[in-house]
Amino acid sequence: MALISKSTLKKRGLDKLKHKANELLNRTLDQHVTLAVTGLSRSGKTAFITSLVNQLINEGNGTKLSFFDPVHNGNFIAAKRVPQKHYHVPRFDYDSAISALTSEPATWPEPTHGISELRLAIRYQPKNSILKYATDMATLTLDITDYPGEWLLDLPMLKQTYQEWSQQTYSLMTSSPRAEYSNSFLAKLNEIDPFACASEELLSELAQEYTALLHTFRHQLGLSVIQPGRFILPGDLAGAPILEFFPFPGLDKLDANDYQNAPDDSFIGMLRSRYLEYKEQVVRKFYREHFLRFDRQIVLADCLKSLNKGKESFADLELAMSMILESYNYGKSGFFSRLFSPKIDKLLFGATKADHVTPEQHGPLVALLNQLIHQNKQHLNYESVQVKTLAIASVKATQSGMSKHKGIDVPVIQGQSIGHANLEESAGIFGQKITVFPGAVPSQLPNDDYWQSNSFNFIEFAPLSGLNKQQCLPHVRMDQVLQFLLADKMI
Ligand SMILES: Nc1nc2c(ncn2[C@@H]2O[C@H](COP(=O)(O)OP(=O)(O)OP(=O)(O)O)[C@@H](O)[C@H]2O)c(=O)[nH]1
Ligand SMILES: [Mg+2]
């Protein structure tokens, strides 16, 4: 048996001690950010997270993150996926999304329907902070959560009684463009005696009809104000009786005492108690279990699709944005601060799919999104939440250039069409490589004159072909997104 000298033993002991000290140091020095990504359905959340992860894990492989200081200054080392923190939350399916985008032919990732999570460990070399004296490699743990913006639309319900919510929803359902679709449902409700003993079967049937209407508002009319948000994106609550209620007309005309004393098994009693239960078990629970954990938030908005759908769709997006922003409006006097105390310190608004318009339209697109969030944004600034707005394309699907039209140079984009946002106009352009000037984005909230004299030619494009998993996806301003959301944690 070989003898180990005293000095070797001493050295081993010292190494062990050093390793332990380093480990301890790293544990205390390591940074952590919980980043939440939200936006209404189809706003581009999955594409965004996929691109963000792809840019970070492939850094160095043809990456173009010039505006992200850790990369620009050379202190970014590497990023990798690591097991997520919360095992009860579904995993964000990066592999399927990146496989779709890099397959031949390339396709967009499938729609998702609830909350999901992914964790990245980002290694970097501290250069400026106090960390540089202690260690030459630190880790930023980034937890990313994807959740539907529709869930934020429910927040205002927390301060409404069932009666108030019914009245507000009823007035939406009896105005254009919802009225035409809601008439027959509302006529059925008018036939019901609110104090009669409730039939669970009928309640469930009517709730399904109401849910179908919400789907029509969202997908056919392109509207954004959908309440309750879980009805169209139920997650694991699909089919649960807590999602079986709906607004009831004429509650303001009932005798207040009769309404208050309506028994729990009456029609109105049952609707009311499910509404209260929904607020407690679904809305409040989401804020308590998830929202309060978030450090930073990006809200994605597809302004172009709403512009393309027309005046009513755009007005509805405006209303939805103001409802969503209530969740961030938690200054000292805000309604939200009385319920919860969130800790978000940076809030980014992204106008997505900016590659659908020519580059000189990005300025107006940002200006337009700024207008949409204007009032709230000022309030948030005042309350020291740092806010920024950017026009981005998570996965750039077009090339931009110039083309001659009647002897004049016009900016154009080129890509492979997968259809037109207005379905009836899709025929004939499917799968074709097309070159278009899709239209000018108004930099102000559009007025009636705009809607009469302008049209927007928004075409959906397939992802570019020939993309590779080990390379960075083409993008617009994802580096600026990373700079705003992460750079200050990596100095
Ligand atoms: N051209 C272009 N299209 C995009 C981009 N991001 C998203 N899209 C389009 O928008 C669609 C929806 O994107 P997703 O990322 O699935 O949106 P989502 O918000 O996750 O949608 P849900 O999961 O249904 O809520 C895609 O299928 C693409 O057609 C982008 O950067 N550029
Ligand atoms: Mg999704």
Side-chain angles (χ1 to χ4, degrees), residues 39-48 108-113 146 233 302 352-356 392-398 418 460-461:
L40 296 174
S41 60
R42 315 311 290 139
S43 58
K45 302 179 289 295
T46 304
F48 174 83
W108 292 104
E110 288 294 315
T112 49
H113 304 285
D146 171 356
L233 288 161
D302 185 352
T352 51
K353 313 179 196 178
D355 57 327
H356 278 144
I392 60 169
S394 316
V395 185
K396 188 167 168 259
T398 63
I418 47 172
E460 290 187 16
F461 294 99

PDB file of all heavy atoms in Angstrom, residues 39-48 108-113 146 233 302 352-356 392-398 418 460-461, ligand 1:
ATOM      1  N   GLY A  39     -49.566  37.291 -22.201  1.00  0.00           N
ATOM      2  CA  GLY A  39     -50.148  37.918 -23.379  1.00  0.00           C
ATOM      3  C   GLY A  39     -51.395  37.120 -23.708  1.00  0.00           C
ATOM      4  O   GLY A  39     -51.497  35.954 -23.308  1.00  0.00           O
ATOM      5  N   LEU A  40     -52.315  37.738 -24.431  1.00  0.00           N
ATOM      6  CA  LEU A  40     -53.548  37.016 -24.777  1.00  0.00           C
ATOM      7  C   LEU A  40     -53.206  35.857 -25.709  1.00  0.00           C
ATOM      8  O   LEU A  40     -52.105  35.798 -26.250  1.00  0.00           O
ATOM      9  CB  LEU A  40     -54.542  37.975 -25.432  1.00  0.00           C
ATOM     10  CG  LEU A  40     -55.006  39.103 -24.499  1.00  0.00           C
ATOM     11  CD1 LEU A  40     -55.883  40.101 -25.250  1.00  0.00           C
ATOM     12  CD2 LEU A  40     -55.761  38.545 -23.296  1.00  0.00           C
ATOM     13  N   SER A  41     -54.166  34.934 -25.898  1.00  0.00           N
ATOM     14  CA  SER A  41     -53.857  33.746 -26.690  1.00  0.00           C
ATOM     15  C   SER A  41     -53.423  34.161 -28.099  1.00  0.00           C
ATOM     16  O   SER A  41     -53.911  35.141 -28.647  1.00  0.00           O
ATOM     17  CB  SER A  41     -55.063  32.801 -26.753  1.00  0.00           C
ATOM     18  OG  SER A  41     -56.137  33.461 -27.343  1.00  0.00           O
ATOM     19  N   ARG A  42     -52.502  33.466 -28.634  1.00  0.00           N
ATOM     20  CA  ARG A  42     -51.883  33.666 -29.944  1.00  0.00           C
ATOM     21  C   ARG A  42     -51.030  34.934 -30.036  1.00  0.00           C
ATOM     22  O   ARG A  42     -50.662  35.364 -31.128  1.00  0.00           O
ATOM     23  CB  ARG A  42     -52.934  33.694 -31.095  1.00  0.00           C
ATOM     24  CG  ARG A  42     -53.994  32.640 -31.075  1.00  0.00           C
ATOM     25  CD  ARG A  42     -53.487  31.230 -30.883  1.00  0.00           C
ATOM     26  NE  ARG A  42     -52.767  30.676 -31.997  1.00  0.00           N
ATOM     27  CZ  ARG A  42     -51.652  29.923 -31.875  1.00  0.00           C
ATOM     28  NH1 ARG A  42     -51.152  29.643 -30.709  1.00  0.00           N
ATOM     29  NH2 ARG A  42     -51.063  29.448 -32.943  1.00  0.00           N
ATOM     30  N   SER A  43     -50.730  35.554 -28.900  1.00  0.00           N
ATOM     31  CA  SER A  43     -49.933  36.787 -28.970  1.00  0.00           C
ATOM     32  C   SER A  43     -48.455  36.496 -29.225  1.00  0.00           C
ATOM     33  O   SER A  43     -47.696  37.399 -29.563  1.00  0.00           O
ATOM     34  CB  SER A  43     -50.097  37.594 -27.677  1.00  0.00           C
ATOM     35  OG  SER A  43     -49.711  36.810 -26.568  1.00  0.00           O
ATOM     36  N   GLY A  44     -48.050  35.229 -29.032  1.00  0.00           N
ATOM     37  CA  GLY A  44     -46.659  34.880 -29.355  1.00  0.00           C
ATOM     38  C   GLY A  44     -45.819  34.478 -28.152  1.00  0.00           C
ATOM     39  O   GLY A  44     -44.585  34.558 -28.202  1.00  0.00           O
ATOM     40  N   LYS A  45     -46.436  33.989 -27.088  1.00  0.00           N
ATOM     41  CA  LYS A  45     -45.700  33.637 -25.865  1.00  0.00           C
ATOM     42  C   LYS A  45     -44.763  32.440 -26.089  1.00  0.00           C
ATOM     43  O   LYS A  45     -43.607  32.474 -25.719  1.00  0.00           O
ATOM     44  CB  LYS A  45     -46.683  33.282 -24.720  1.00  0.00           C
ATOM     45  CG  LYS A  45     -47.650  34.391 -24.380  1.00  0.00           C
ATOM     46  CD  LYS A  45     -48.603  33.980 -23.279  1.00  0.00           C
ATOM     47  CE  LYS A  45     -49.638  32.940 -23.684  1.00  0.00           C
ATOM     48  NZ  LYS A  45     -50.601  33.380 -24.695  1.00  0.00           N
ATOM     49  N   THR A  46     -45.306  31.369 -26.704  1.00  0.00           N
ATOM     50  CA  THR A  46     -44.492  30.161 -26.898  1.00  0.00           C
ATOM     51  C   THR A  46     -43.300  30.459 -27.806  1.00  0.00           C
ATOM     52  O   THR A  46     -42.161  30.067 -27.513  1.00  0.00           O
ATOM     53  CB  THR A  46     -45.350  29.030 -27.499  1.00  0.00           C
ATOM     54  OG1 THR A  46     -46.468  28.809 -26.633  1.00  0.00           O
ATOM     55  CG2 THR A  46     -44.569  27.741 -27.628  1.00  0.00           C
ATOM     56  N   ALA A  47     -43.553  31.183 -28.887  1.00  0.00           N
ATOM     57  CA  ALA A  47     -42.453  31.528 -29.804  1.00  0.00           C
ATOM     58  C   ALA A  47     -41.426  32.381 -29.070  1.00  0.00           C
ATOM     59  O   ALA A  47     -40.209  32.192 -29.232  1.00  0.00           O
ATOM     60  CB  ALA A  47     -43.007  32.275 -31.018  1.00  0.00           C
ATOM     61  N   PHE A  48     -41.902  33.273 -28.222  1.00  0.00           N
ATOM     62  CA  PHE A  48     -40.997  34.163 -27.490  1.00  0.00           C
ATOM     63  C   PHE A  48     -40.077  33.373 -26.544  1.00  0.00           C
ATOM     64  O   PHE A  48     -38.863  33.538 -26.553  1.00  0.00           O
ATOM     65  CB  PHE A  48     -41.803  35.204 -26.698  1.00  0.00           C
ATOM     66  CG  PHE A  48     -40.950  36.060 -25.804  1.00  0.00           C
ATOM     67  CD1 PHE A  48     -40.287  37.164 -26.321  1.00  0.00           C
ATOM     68  CD2 PHE A  48     -40.777  35.742 -24.468  1.00  0.00           C
ATOM     69  CE1 PHE A  48     -39.460  37.937 -25.508  1.00  0.00           C
ATOM     70  CE2 PHE A  48     -39.963  36.509 -23.643  1.00  0.00           C
ATOM     71  CZ  PHE A  48     -39.304  37.610 -24.169  1.00  0.00           C
ATOM     72  N   TRP A 108     -44.929  26.484 -37.012  1.00  0.00           N
ATOM     73  CA  TRP A 108     -44.993  27.166 -35.723  1.00  0.00           C
ATOM     74  C   TRP A 108     -45.342  26.159 -34.630  1.00  0.00           C
ATOM     75  O   TRP A 108     -46.031  25.168 -34.897  1.00  0.00           O
ATOM     76  CB  TRP A 108     -46.053  28.280 -35.761  1.00  0.00           C
ATOM     77  CG  TRP A 108     -45.648  29.396 -36.667  1.00  0.00           C
ATOM     78  CD1 TRP A 108     -46.123  29.652 -37.917  1.00  0.00           C
ATOM     79  CD2 TRP A 108     -44.655  30.403 -36.405  1.00  0.00           C
ATOM     80  NE1 TRP A 108     -45.492  30.744 -38.461  1.00  0.00           N
ATOM     81  CE2 TRP A 108     -44.578  31.228 -37.545  1.00  0.00           C
ATOM     82  CE3 TRP A 108     -43.807  30.676 -35.329  1.00  0.00           C
ATOM     83  CZ2 TRP A 108     -43.717  32.317 -37.632  1.00  0.00           C
ATOM     84  CZ3 TRP A 108     -42.943  31.770 -35.413  1.00  0.00           C
ATOM     85  CH2 TRP A 108     -42.903  32.570 -36.555  1.00  0.00           C
ATOM     86  N   PRO A 109     -44.909  26.415 -33.399  1.00  0.00           N
ATOM     87  CA  PRO A 109     -45.264  25.495 -32.300  1.00  0.00           C
ATOM     88  C   PRO A 109     -46.778  25.454 -32.096  1.00  0.00           C
ATOM     89  O   PRO A 109     -47.491  26.395 -32.458  1.00  0.00           O
ATOM     90  CB  PRO A 109     -44.593  26.123 -31.075  1.00  0.00           C
ATOM     91  CG  PRO A 109     -43.609  27.116 -31.589  1.00  0.00           C
ATOM     92  CD  PRO A 109     -44.041  27.517 -32.951  1.00  0.00           C
ATOM     93  N   GLU A 110     -47.248  24.351 -31.521  1.00  0.00           N
ATOM     94  CA  GLU A 110     -48.687  24.178 -31.256  1.00  0.00           C
ATOM     95  C   GLU A 110     -49.151  25.192 -30.205  1.00  0.00           C
ATOM     96  O   GLU A 110     -48.374  25.565 -29.326  1.00  0.00           O
ATOM     97  CB  GLU A 110     -48.924  22.782 -30.671  1.00  0.00           C
ATOM     98  CG  GLU A 110     -48.766  21.644 -31.657  1.00  0.00           C
ATOM     99  CD  GLU A 110     -49.827  21.689 -32.732  1.00  0.00           C
ATOM    100  OE1 GLU A 110     -51.002  21.896 -32.386  1.00  0.00           O
ATOM    101  OE2 GLU A 110     -49.476  21.526 -33.920  1.00  0.00           O
ATOM    102  N   PRO A 111     -50.448  25.590 -30.252  1.00  0.00           N
ATOM    103  CA  PRO A 111     -50.978  26.453 -29.188  1.00  0.00           C
ATOM    104  C   PRO A 111     -50.866  25.752 -27.831  1.00  0.00           C
ATOM    105  O   PRO A 111     -50.915  24.526 -27.761  1.00  0.00           O
ATOM    106  CB  PRO A 111     -52.452  26.630 -29.561  1.00  0.00           C
ATOM    107  CG  PRO A 111     -52.564  26.242 -30.985  1.00  0.00           C
ATOM    108  CD  PRO A 111     -51.451  25.284 -31.270  1.00  0.00           C
ATOM    109  N   THR A 112     -50.702  26.521 -26.782  1.00  0.00           N
ATOM    110  CA  THR A 112     -50.644  25.952 -25.427  1.00  0.00           C
ATOM    111  C   THR A 112     -51.849  26.480 -24.648  1.00  0.00           C
ATOM    112  O   THR A 112     -52.476  27.449 -25.060  1.00  0.00           O
ATOM    113  CB  THR A 112     -49.328  26.335 -24.738  1.00  0.00           C
ATOM    114  OG1 THR A 112     -49.136  27.741 -24.891  1.00  0.00           O
ATOM    115  CG2 THR A 112     -48.152  25.604 -25.337  1.00  0.00           C
ATOM    116  N   HIS A 113     -52.155  25.822 -23.509  1.00  0.00           N
ATOM    117  CA  HIS A 113     -53.433  26.169 -22.898  1.00  0.00           C
ATOM    118  C   HIS A 113     -53.376  26.517 -21.421  1.00  0.00           C
ATOM    119  O   HIS A 113     -54.397  26.609 -20.768  1.00  0.00           O
ATOM    120  CB  HIS A 113     -54.427  25.012 -23.099  1.00  0.00           C
ATOM    121  CG  HIS A 113     -54.590  24.672 -24.543  1.00  0.00           C
ATOM    122  ND1 HIS A 113     -55.311  25.456 -25.406  1.00  0.00           N
ATOM    123  CD2 HIS A 113     -54.080  23.664 -25.289  1.00  0.00           C
ATOM    124  CE1 HIS A 113     -55.250  24.938 -26.626  1.00  0.00           C
ATOM    125  NE2 HIS A 113     -54.505  23.851 -26.580  1.00  0.00           N
ATOM    126  N   ASP A 146     -44.699  30.704 -18.318  1.00  0.00           N
ATOM    127  CA  ASP A 146     -45.604  31.092 -19.417  1.00  0.00           C
ATOM    128  C   ASP A 146     -47.025  30.958 -18.865  1.00  0.00           C
ATOM    129  O   ASP A 146     -47.378  29.903 -18.339  1.00  0.00           O
ATOM    130  CB  ASP A 146     -45.370  30.100 -20.574  1.00  0.00           C
ATOM    131  CG  ASP A 146     -46.368  30.218 -21.723  1.00  0.00           C
ATOM    132  OD1 ASP A 146     -47.319  31.020 -21.634  1.00  0.00           O
ATOM    133  OD2 ASP A 146     -46.192  29.493 -22.726  1.00  0.00           O
ATOM    134  N   LEU A 233     -59.646  29.111 -21.411  1.00  0.00           N
ATOM    135  CA  LEU A 233     -58.367  28.431 -21.150  1.00  0.00           C
ATOM    136  C   LEU A 233     -58.425  27.827 -19.755  1.00  0.00           C
ATOM    137  O   LEU A 233     -57.846  28.342 -18.807  1.00  0.00           O
ATOM    138  CB  LEU A 233     -57.220  29.446 -21.245  1.00  0.00           C
ATOM    139  CG  LEU A 233     -56.930  29.900 -22.677  1.00  0.00           C
ATOM    140  CD1 LEU A 233     -56.161  31.198 -22.706  1.00  0.00           C
ATOM    141  CD2 LEU A 233     -56.168  28.829 -23.431  1.00  0.00           C
ATOM    142  N   ASP A 302     -50.304  41.492 -29.609  1.00  0.00           N
ATOM    143  CA  ASP A 302     -50.319  41.424 -31.065  1.00  0.00           C
ATOM    144  C   ASP A 302     -51.212  42.556 -31.585  1.00  0.00           C
ATOM    145  O   ASP A 302     -52.380  42.352 -31.910  1.00  0.00           O
ATOM    146  CB  ASP A 302     -50.860  40.042 -31.501  1.00  0.00           C
ATOM    147  CG  ASP A 302     -50.797  39.848 -33.002  1.00  0.00           C
ATOM    148  OD1 ASP A 302     -50.474  40.825 -33.710  1.00  0.00           O
ATOM    149  OD2 ASP A 302     -51.063  38.726 -33.471  1.00  0.00           O
ATOM    150  N   THR A 352     -45.475  42.211 -30.593  1.00  0.00           N
ATOM    151  CA  THR A 352     -44.893  41.034 -31.234  1.00  0.00           C
ATOM    152  C   THR A 352     -45.114  41.018 -32.745  1.00  0.00           C
ATOM    153  O   THR A 352     -45.893  41.794 -33.287  1.00  0.00           O
ATOM    154  CB  THR A 352     -45.494  39.734 -30.649  1.00  0.00           C
ATOM    155  OG1 THR A 352     -46.910  39.846 -30.680  1.00  0.00           O
ATOM    156  CG2 THR A 352     -45.028  39.499 -29.240  1.00  0.00           C
ATOM    157  N   LYS A 353     -44.416  40.088 -33.379  1.00  0.00           N
ATOM    158  CA  LYS A 353     -44.542  39.809 -34.816  1.00  0.00           C
ATOM    159  C   LYS A 353     -44.214  41.043 -35.656  1.00  0.00           C
ATOM    160  O   LYS A 353     -44.847  41.298 -36.689  1.00  0.00           O
ATOM    161  CB  LYS A 353     -45.945  39.267 -35.143  1.00  0.00           C
ATOM    162  CG  LYS A 353     -46.371  38.158 -34.171  1.00  0.00           C
ATOM    163  CD  LYS A 353     -47.743  37.614 -34.441  1.00  0.00           C
ATOM    164  CE  LYS A 353     -48.241  36.814 -33.230  1.00  0.00           C
ATOM    165  NZ  LYS A 353     -49.577  36.297 -33.380  1.00  0.00           N
ATOM    166  N   ALA A 354     -43.234  41.830 -35.181  1.00  0.00           N
ATOM    167  CA  ALA A 354     -42.869  43.065 -35.878  1.00  0.00           C
ATOM    168  C   ALA A 354     -42.334  42.767 -37.280  1.00  0.00           C
ATOM    169  O   ALA A 354     -42.277  43.660 -38.123  1.00  0.00           O
ATOM    170  CB  ALA A 354     -41.830  43.825 -35.068  1.00  0.00           C
ATOM    171  N   ASP A 355     -41.950  41.505 -37.528  1.00  0.00           N
ATOM    172  CA  ASP A 355     -41.471  41.149 -38.873  1.00  0.00           C
ATOM    173  C   ASP A 355     -42.616  41.088 -39.881  1.00  0.00           C
ATOM    174  O   ASP A 355     -42.404  40.869 -41.062  1.00  0.00           O
ATOM    175  CB  ASP A 355     -40.741  39.790 -38.834  1.00  0.00           C
ATOM    176  CG  ASP A 355     -41.617  38.682 -38.286  1.00  0.00           C
ATOM    177  OD1 ASP A 355     -42.463  38.953 -37.409  1.00  0.00           O
ATOM    178  OD2 ASP A 355     -41.482  37.523 -38.740  1.00  0.00           O
ATOM    179  N   HIS A 356     -43.858  41.314 -39.431  1.00  0.00           N
ATOM    180  CA  HIS A 356     -44.992  41.377 -40.352  1.00  0.00           C
ATOM    181  C   HIS A 356     -45.079  42.726 -41.048  1.00  0.00           C
ATOM    182  O   HIS A 356     -45.879  42.898 -41.968  1.00  0.00           O
ATOM    183  CB  HIS A 356     -46.308  41.156 -39.588  1.00  0.00           C
ATOM    184  CG  HIS A 356     -46.613  39.715 -39.352  1.00  0.00           C
ATOM    185  ND1 HIS A 356     -47.218  39.261 -38.215  1.00  0.00           N
ATOM    186  CD2 HIS A 356     -46.406  38.626 -40.121  1.00  0.00           C
ATOM    187  CE1 HIS A 356     -47.363  37.953 -38.288  1.00  0.00           C
ATOM    188  NE2 HIS A 356     -46.877  37.548 -39.433  1.00  0.00           N
ATOM    189  N   ILE A 392     -40.857  43.695 -31.352  1.00  0.00           N
ATOM    190  CA  ILE A 392     -39.966  42.537 -31.475  1.00  0.00           C
ATOM    191  C   ILE A 392     -40.514  41.480 -32.440  1.00  0.00           C
ATOM    192  O   ILE A 392     -41.724  41.455 -32.721  1.00  0.00           O
ATOM    193  CB  ILE A 392     -39.742  41.843 -30.104  1.00  0.00           C
ATOM    194  CG1 ILE A 392     -41.082  41.338 -29.513  1.00  0.00           C
ATOM    195  CG2 ILE A 392     -39.079  42.768 -29.117  1.00  0.00           C
ATOM    196  CD1 ILE A 392     -40.914  40.416 -28.319  1.00  0.00           C
ATOM    197  N   ALA A 393     -39.641  40.648 -32.910  1.00  0.00           N
ATOM    198  CA  ALA A 393     -40.066  39.396 -33.570  1.00  0.00           C
ATOM    199  C   ALA A 393     -39.236  38.311 -32.923  1.00  0.00           C
ATOM    200  O   ALA A 393     -37.999  38.336 -33.013  1.00  0.00           O
ATOM    201  CB  ALA A 393     -39.814  39.452 -35.066  1.00  0.00           C
ATOM    202  N   SER A 394     -39.879  37.406 -32.218  1.00  0.00           N
ATOM    203  CA  SER A 394     -39.141  36.351 -31.530  1.00  0.00           C
ATOM    204  C   SER A 394     -38.483  35.433 -32.552  1.00  0.00           C
ATOM    205  O   SER A 394     -37.358  35.000 -32.388  1.00  0.00           O
ATOM    206  CB  SER A 394     -40.093  35.521 -30.673  1.00  0.00           C
ATOM    207  OG  SER A 394     -40.970  36.348 -29.971  1.00  0.00           O
ATOM    208  N   VAL A 395     -39.226  35.133 -33.600  1.00  0.00           N
ATOM    209  CA  VAL A 395     -38.714  34.281 -34.671  1.00  0.00           C
ATOM    210  C   VAL A 395     -39.041  34.976 -35.988  1.00  0.00           C
ATOM    211  O   VAL A 395     -40.172  34.950 -36.462  1.00  0.00           O
ATOM    212  CB  VAL A 395     -39.368  32.876 -34.640  1.00  0.00           C
ATOM    213  CG1 VAL A 395     -38.734  31.965 -35.675  1.00  0.00           C
ATOM    214  CG2 VAL A 395     -39.276  32.261 -33.250  1.00  0.00           C
ATOM    215  N   LYS A 396     -38.042  35.611 -36.537  1.00  0.00           N
ATOM    216  CA  LYS A 396     -38.252  36.439 -37.734  1.00  0.00           C
ATOM    217  C   LYS A 396     -38.556  35.540 -38.925  1.00  0.00           C
ATOM    218  O   LYS A 396     -37.765  34.643 -39.247  1.00  0.00           O
ATOM    219  CB  LYS A 396     -36.978  37.250 -37.971  1.00  0.00           C
ATOM    220  CG  LYS A 396     -37.050  38.288 -39.033  1.00  0.00           C
ATOM    221  CD  LYS A 396     -35.820  39.201 -38.905  1.00  0.00           C
ATOM    222  CE  LYS A 396     -35.688  40.077 -40.113  1.00  0.00           C
ATOM    223  NZ  LYS A 396     -34.684  39.594 -41.039  1.00  0.00           N
ATOM    224  N   ALA A 397     -39.703  35.795 -39.571  1.00  0.00           N
ATOM    225  CA  ALA A 397     -40.123  34.903 -40.653  1.00  0.00           C
ATOM    226  C   ALA A 397     -40.095  35.589 -42.014  1.00  0.00           C
ATOM    227  O   ALA A 397     -40.527  35.008 -43.012  1.00  0.00           O
ATOM    228  CB  ALA A 397     -41.530  34.378 -40.351  1.00  0.00           C
ATOM    229  N   THR A 398     -39.638  36.828 -42.051  1.00  0.00           N
ATOM    230  CA  THR A 398     -39.612  37.544 -43.336  1.00  0.00           C
ATOM    231  C   THR A 398     -38.248  38.205 -43.545  1.00  0.00           C
ATOM    232  O   THR A 398     -37.492  38.387 -42.604  1.00  0.00           O
ATOM    233  CB  THR A 398     -40.671  38.673 -43.375  1.00  0.00           C
ATOM    234  OG1 THR A 398     -40.343  39.642 -42.368  1.00  0.00           O
ATOM    235  CG2 THR A 398     -42.071  38.147 -43.146  1.00  0.00           C
ATOM    236  N   ILE A 418     -48.719  31.608 -45.099  1.00  0.00           N
ATOM    237  CA  ILE A 418     -49.536  30.453 -44.696  1.00  0.00           C
ATOM    238  C   ILE A 418     -50.996  30.870 -44.566  1.00  0.00           C
ATOM    239  O   ILE A 418     -51.793  30.239 -43.913  1.00  0.00           O
ATOM    240  CB  ILE A 418     -49.067  29.781 -43.383  1.00  0.00           C
ATOM    241  CG1 ILE A 418     -48.791  30.816 -42.299  1.00  0.00           C
ATOM    242  CG2 ILE A 418     -47.925  28.854 -43.599  1.00  0.00           C
ATOM    243  CD1 ILE A 418     -48.511  30.199 -40.944  1.00  0.00           C
ATOM    244  N   GLU A 460     -50.140  35.974 -42.667  1.00  0.00           N
ATOM    245  CA  GLU A 460     -49.384  35.105 -41.759  1.00  0.00           C
ATOM    246  C   GLU A 460     -48.307  34.366 -42.541  1.00  0.00           C
ATOM    247  O   GLU A 460     -48.575  33.834 -43.610  1.00  0.00           O
ATOM    248  CB  GLU A 460     -50.334  34.139 -41.065  1.00  0.00           C
ATOM    249  CG  GLU A 460     -51.213  34.900 -40.085  1.00  0.00           C
ATOM    250  CD  GLU A 460     -52.070  34.000 -39.221  1.00  0.00           C
ATOM    251  OE1 GLU A 460     -51.785  32.793 -39.144  1.00  0.00           O
ATOM    252  OE2 GLU A 460     -53.020  34.533 -38.634  1.00  0.00           O
ATOM    253  N   PHE A 461     -47.103  34.382 -42.002  1.00  0.00           N
ATOM    254  CA  PHE A 461     -45.978  33.750 -42.685  1.00  0.00           C
ATOM    255  C   PHE A 461     -45.510  32.491 -41.968  1.00  0.00           C
ATOM    256  O   PHE A 461     -45.574  32.408 -40.748  1.00  0.00           O
ATOM    257  CB  PHE A 461     -44.801  34.727 -42.780  1.00  0.00           C
ATOM    258  CG  PHE A 461     -45.076  35.912 -43.663  1.00  0.00           C
ATOM    259  CD1 PHE A 461     -45.443  37.129 -43.112  1.00  0.00           C
ATOM    260  CD2 PHE A 461     -44.982  35.804 -45.038  1.00  0.00           C
ATOM    261  CE1 PHE A 461     -45.714  38.223 -43.915  1.00  0.00           C
ATOM    262  CE2 PHE A 461     -45.249  36.894 -45.854  1.00  0.00           C
ATOM    263  CZ  PHE A 461     -45.615  38.115 -45.292  1.00  0.00           C
TER     264      PHE A 461
HETATM  265  N1  LIG B   1     -43.997  36.233 -38.212  1.00  0.00           N
HETATM  266  C1  LIG B   1     -44.033  35.915 -36.935  1.00  0.00           C
HETATM  267  N2  LIG B   1     -45.087  35.227 -36.461  1.00  0.00           N
HETATM  268  C2  LIG B   1     -45.089  34.912 -35.152  1.00  0.00           C
HETATM  269  C3  LIG B   1     -44.032  35.265 -34.265  1.00  0.00           C
HETATM  270  N3  LIG B   1     -44.355  34.816 -33.028  1.00  0.00           N
HETATM  271  C4  LIG B   1     -45.545  34.188 -33.146  1.00  0.00           C
HETATM  272  N4  LIG B   1     -45.986  34.240 -34.431  1.00  0.00           N
HETATM  273  C5  LIG B   1     -47.262  33.747 -34.959  1.00  0.00           C
HETATM  274  O1  LIG B   1     -48.223  33.767 -33.922  1.00  0.00           O
HETATM  275  C6  LIG B   1     -48.748  32.457 -33.680  1.00  0.00           C
HETATM  276  C7  LIG B   1     -48.969  32.261 -32.206  1.00  0.00           C
HETATM  277  O2  LIG B   1     -47.723  32.204 -31.562  1.00  0.00           O
HETATM  278  P1  LIG B   1     -47.525  31.407 -30.180  1.00  0.00           P
HETATM  279  O3  LIG B   1     -46.128  31.658 -29.756  1.00  0.00           O
HETATM  280  O4  LIG B   1     -48.004  30.024 -30.273  1.00  0.00           O
HETATM  281  O5  LIG B   1     -48.531  32.279 -29.287  1.00  0.00           O
HETATM  282  P2  LIG B   1     -49.068  31.935 -27.833  1.00  0.00           P
HETATM  283  O6  LIG B   1     -49.304  33.255 -27.177  1.00  0.00           O
HETATM  284  O7  LIG B   1     -48.148  30.987 -27.139  1.00  0.00           O
HETATM  285  O8  LIG B   1     -50.454  31.247 -28.180  1.00  0.00           O
HETATM  286  P3  LIG B   1     -51.347  30.285 -27.214  1.00  0.00           P
HETATM  287  O9  LIG B   1     -50.439  29.219 -26.724  1.00  0.00           O
HETATM  288  O10 LIG B   1     -52.429  29.801 -28.116  1.00  0.00           O
HETATM  289  O11 LIG B   1     -51.827  31.195 -26.141  1.00  0.00           O
HETATM  290  C8  LIG B   1     -47.715  31.514 -34.280  1.00  0.00           C
HETATM  291  O12 LIG B   1     -48.311  30.300 -34.625  1.00  0.00           O
HETATM  292  C9  LIG B   1     -47.206  32.315 -35.457  1.00  0.00           C
HETATM  293  O13 LIG B   1     -48.117  32.199 -36.537  1.00  0.00           O
HETATM  294  C10 LIG B   1     -42.937  36.013 -34.797  1.00  0.00           C
HETATM  295  O14 LIG B   1     -41.974  36.404 -34.114  1.00  0.00           O
HETATM  296  N5  LIG B   1     -42.994  36.304 -36.133  1.00  0.00           N
END
